[in-house]
Amino acid sequence: MSIKAENSRIAKNTISLYIRTVIVMFVSLYTSRLVLQALGETDLGIYNLVGGIVSLMAFLQAAQTKSTSRFITYELGLGGEPYKLSRIYSICMTIHILLAIIIVVIAETVGLFIINEYTQIPESRMVAANLVYQFSILTFVMHFIRCPLDSVIIAHEDMTVYAYMSILEVSLQLGLVFAVLHYSGDNLILYGFLVFAVSVVLFICYLIYRRKTYPAYRYRFIWDKKESVRVLSFSGWTLLGSSANTFTQQGVALLFNNFVGLVANTALGFANQVNAAVGRFVSSFTTAFNPQIIKFQAQDDINSLFILMNRASRFSFALCYVMALPIISNMEFILSLWLGRVPEYTTEFCQLILVCSIIDATTGVFNTSITATGKIKNYQIGIALSFLLDLACATIFLYLGIHPAVVFGSRIITRGFMNMLIGFHYSKKLLAFPLRKYLVEVMIPIGITILITIPISMIRMSEGWLSFILNTILTVVAISLCTLYIIMKKHERTTIIKAIKNRFYASKL
C-alpha cells in the first residue's frame, strides 16, 4: 500500500475513533454521576476497592491486546498467510485462557484474604462486598479472554467496528445504572452483577463479528512448543509490566483505604475515570497509528518508522494537552457540575493524574515501537520496577503522614518521567532511534508550548460559567496556535490548513 493510502487510512480511522471517543466520554461521565447517586459515597468506595480489579482491567486488557495484536499485525506485515494468522490467533487465545485461570486462582485465595482481613469495610457491607468481588472476578475473565478478539479488529485496522462496539458498551452501562436507580434492593450487588452481564454481551458480540468477518481466525487448540514458548514468553513479559501496574494501583487503593479512609478510594475512582475519559481521546489517535508502526518494523522500513514515531508523539501530546489543560485549570468547577458535591481529595487527584496522562501520551509511542521488536524482557522489567517504586513511595509517604495529594503526586516522577526515560533508553538500544533529533523536533517544541500556555490557562476574567467558558476558549486557542506554528512542521501545517479551507468552501457551496 502506498504512503498516501496509508495516511488516508490512518486519517479515516482517527476520525472514526474520535467520534467514538466523544460519545463514549460524555456517556461515561454522565453514567459516573448516576452511579454516585445510585450507590452513594460509601458503597461506591467499596466498589472501587473490592471491584478495583474491574476498573484496573483497562490496563491489563490493553496490555494483553497490545501483545496479541503485535503478533497478528507483525504477521500481516509479512504477508498475512491465512494458516499462519489462524495458528498465531489460536496460540494467543490458549495462553489467555490459561492466564485467566491462574489469575482467578490467585484472586480467590490471596485476593479474597486481603478483602476480608485487610480492608476496613463496615461489617454490615461485607456480604455485599464479597458478592461484588465475585462478580468482579467473572467480569475480569470475560474481558481478559476477549483480548484476542479485540486484537484481530485492531490489527486489521477495522476501527469503525471497534468504535461501534465501544459505543454499545457505554450505552449498556448507562442502561444498567438506570436499572440500579429504580431497584429497591441492594444496589451495590445488582450493580456488580449487571457490570458482569454487560461484559458477557460484549464478548458475544465480538465473537459473532469475528466469526462472520474474519473466519480464518477460528480457535483451535494448538500447542506448538517452539511457537507457544515464543508467544508465551512475550505475553509473560508483557504481563509482568501490566501486573505490576495492576498490583501497584490496587496496592495504593488499599493503602489510602487504611491510612485515609473510603473517601480517598472514592476520589481515586473519580480520578481514574477522568484519566480514562481524556485517555480515550489520545488512544483514538494512537490506536490508528500503532498497526502501522508494527508493520514498518516487520518490513524493516526504519526511516518510515522513525518519521511516524516522531509525528505520533507530537500529535498525541497536542491532542491530550488541548483536552487536559483546560480541565486541569477548571477542575473544581467541572467536578462541581459533574458530581454536585465533590468528595474530598478528588480535585487534586484528578489534576495530578492528568499530568501523568500528558506524559504518557507524549511517549506512549515508544512502548509500541519497542513492543514491535519482540525484545521486551528488560524493558518490561524496567517498567515494572518504576510501578513498584510508586507503591513504595506511597507506602513511605503515607506512613510519614504526608498529605494524600502529595503522595498521589509522586507518581508523576515514578510512573511519568521514569517511564519516559526507560522508553528513551530501550528505543535507542533496540532501534538505534535518533534521540537527539527527537529532542529537537519533539521535546523542545512541546516544552515551548507548555511554557507559553500554562500562564494563559491561569487567566481569570470573571466567575462561574463565564469564567469557565472564556478560560477554556482562551486556553484552547493558545494551544491550537502553538500546535500549528510550534509543534507541527511546515508541510503538516500547510496540509491541515488546506484541508480546513477546502471543507469550509465546500460547506458554503
Side-chain angles (χ1 to χ4, degrees):
M1 188 178 291
S2 67
I3 295 297
K4 185 177 181 180
E6 293 287 8
N7 290 338
S8 176
R9 172 182 285 188
I10 290 173
K12 180 182 177 181
N13 287 336
T14 302
I15 292 170
S16 297
L17 290 172
Y18 240 80
I19 294 171
R20 162 253 193 189
T21 302
V22 171
I23 297 173
V24 167
M25 184 186 72
F26 283 107
V27 174
S28 296
L29 292 177
Y30 179 59
T31 300
S32 299
R33 177 172 181 145
L34 293 181
V35 170
L36 179 60
Q37 294 177 11
L39 300 183
E41 282 190 27
T42 299
D43 275 2
L44 183 56
I46 292 172
Y47 183 80
N48 287 335
L49 181 64
V50 304
I53 192 171
V54 177
S55 61
L56 293 174
M57 181 48 48
F59 297 96
L60 271 174
Q61 185 180 4
Q64 287 306 107
T65 300
K66 183 178 293 186
S67 174
T68 305
S69 181
R70 183 266 170 188
F71 282 95
I72 294 174
T73 307
Y74 199 90
E75 198 61 52
L76 286 171
L78 295 176
E81 296 181 22
Y83 171 74
K84 291 184 178 180
L85 290 173
S86 177
R87 187 177 183 80
I88 200 69
Y89 169 79
S90 295
I91 291 171
C92 290
M93 179 62 82
T94 299
I95 289 171
H96 276 78
I97 293 171
L98 292 174
L99 288 173
I101 293 172
I102 293 170
I103 294 172
V104 167
V105 171
I106 296 173
E108 292 288 10
T109 53
V110 178
L112 201 59
F113 173 78
I114 292 174
I115 292 298
N116 286 283
E117 301 296 331
Y118 189 68
T119 59
Q120 295 182 358
I121 297 172
E123 187 66 30
S124 61
R125 302 303 292 150
M126 282 304 300
V127 173
N130 275 277
L131 284 173
V132 169
Y133 182 66
Q134 296 303 316
F135 288 133
S136 299
I137 294 171
L138 293 172
T139 305
F140 167 83
V141 171
M142 298 309 302
H143 279 286
F144 200 73
I145 62 176
R146 200 188 83 191
C147 289
L149 302 176
D150 293 355
S151 299
V152 169
I153 294 174
I154 293 172
H156 283 271
E157 301 180 67
D158 198 354
M159 302 306 179
T160 301
V161 171
Y162 188 67
Y164 287 150
M165 291 292 189
S166 299
I167 293 170
L168 172 63
E169 184 171 9
V170 294
S171 300
L172 291 173
Q173 289 171 348
L174 178 61
L176 75 85
V177 175
F178 280 117
V180 172
L181 281 168
H182 293 88
Y183 182 61
S184 58
D186 194 310
N187 288 353
L188 180 60
I189 295 174
L190 179 65
Y191 182 72
F193 169 74
L194 291 179
V195 169
F196 164 63
V198 168
S199 70
V200 174
V201 172
L202 264 293
F203 178 82
I204 293 172
C205 290
Y206 271 96
L207 186 62
I208 292 172
Y209 180 79
R210 192 274 300 157
R211 285 188 173 183
K212 289 186 175 182
T213 310
Y214 305 110
Y217 292 93
R218 288 188 180 278
Y219 174 69
R220 296 173 295 130
F221 180 79
I222 297 174
W223 192 258
D224 179 291
K225 183 177 180 181
K226 182 179 179 181
E227 190 70 15
S228 296
V229 168
R230 186 170 73 95
V231 176
L232 188 59
S233 175
F234 188 93
S235 297
W237 288 116
T238 302
L239 191 60
L240 172 66
S242 58
S243 296
N245 185 28
T246 302
F247 176 77
T248 299
Q249 296 222 28
Q250 194 65 8
V252 169
L254 289 169
L255 286 169
F256 273 110
N257 172 253
N258 283 275
F259 282 93
V260 185
L262 281 175
V263 65
N265 292 110
T266 302
L268 279 172
F270 285 120
N272 286 327
Q273 289 178 47
V274 171
N275 181 49
V278 174
R280 288 190 190 104
F281 273 92
V282 181
S283 66
S284 67
F285 187 76
T286 57
T287 301
F289 265 93
N290 288 345
Q292 287 305 315
I293 290 174
I294 297 172
K295 288 173 185 177
F296 282 144
Q297 174 66 30
Q299 296 160 6
D300 201 28
D301 189 351
I302 300 301
N303 185 55
S304 297
L305 173 64
F306 290 164
I307 293 173
L308 189 59
M309 286 175 65
N310 281 3
R311 182 177 297 163
S313 190
R314 287 184 288 111
F315 285 16
S316 294
F317 164 81
L319 288 169
C320 183
Y321 195 59
V322 76
M323 283 290 300
L325 187 58
I327 295 174
I328 291 172
S329 61
N330 296 281
M331 183 64 73
E332 191 170 350
F333 179 78
I334 292 171
L335 289 177
S336 65
L337 291 177
W338 175 27
L339 302 176
R341 188 167 65 86
V342 182
E344 191 178 5
Y345 307 122
T346 303
T347 300
E348 297 92 333
F349 284 6
C350 289
Q351 289 172 325
L352 291 167
I353 206 168
L354 286 182
V355 175
C356 290
S357 295
I358 295 169
I359 298 171
D360 291 342
T362 306
T363 58
V365 66
F366 292 103
N367 184 284
T368 303
S369 59
I370 293 167
T371 299
T373 67
K375 302 173 183 178
I376 62 169
K377 175 183 174 180
N378 293 332
Y379 172 70
Q380 288 295 335
I381 290 174
I383 292 295
L385 290 175
S386 74
F387 289 149
L388 294 175
L389 180 61
D390 177 40
L391 180 61
C393 289
T395 303
I396 295 170
F397 292 163
L398 285 171
Y399 181 79
L400 294 174
I402 295 175
H403 192 279
V406 178
V407 176
F408 191 74
S410 66
R411 64 177 48 198
I412 294 175
I413 303 297
T414 56
R415 302 172 66 94
F417 290 113
M418 272 199 67
N419 284 358
M420 177 191 292
L421 294 175
I422 292 169
F424 286 168
H425 172 73
Y426 284 101
S427 293
K428 178 70 173 178
K429 182 177 180 180
L430 298 175
L431 297 166
F433 184 73
L435 279 178
R436 181 173 295 180
K437 186 176 182 181
Y438 178 83
L439 292 173
V440 172
E441 293 185 357
V442 179
M443 296 306 292
I444 290 178
I446 285 175
I448 294 172
T449 298
I450 291 173
L451 290 174
I452 292 173
T453 54
I454 286 182
I456 294 174
S457 71
M458 296 178 180
I459 296 175
R460 291 289 184 275
M461 292 170 282
S462 58
E463 299 293 334
W465 272 102
L466 183 59
S467 174
F468 169 66
I469 293 171
L470 291 175
N471 178 267
T472 300
I473 292 174
L474 187 63
T475 304
V476 169
V477 169
I479 295 173
S480 300
L481 290 174
C482 286
T483 300
L484 279 172
Y485 293 99
I486 298 175
I487 293 176
M488 285 186 182
K489 294 185 176 181
K490 184 177 180 180
H491 69 276
E492 294 168 342
R493 179 170 63 251
T494 303
T495 301
I496 289 179
I497 292 175
K498 183 178 179 181
I500 294 173
K501 286 181 178 179
N502 290 339
R503 184 173 291 274
F504 176 76
Y505 289 133
S507 63
K508 289 186 69 174
L509 294 174

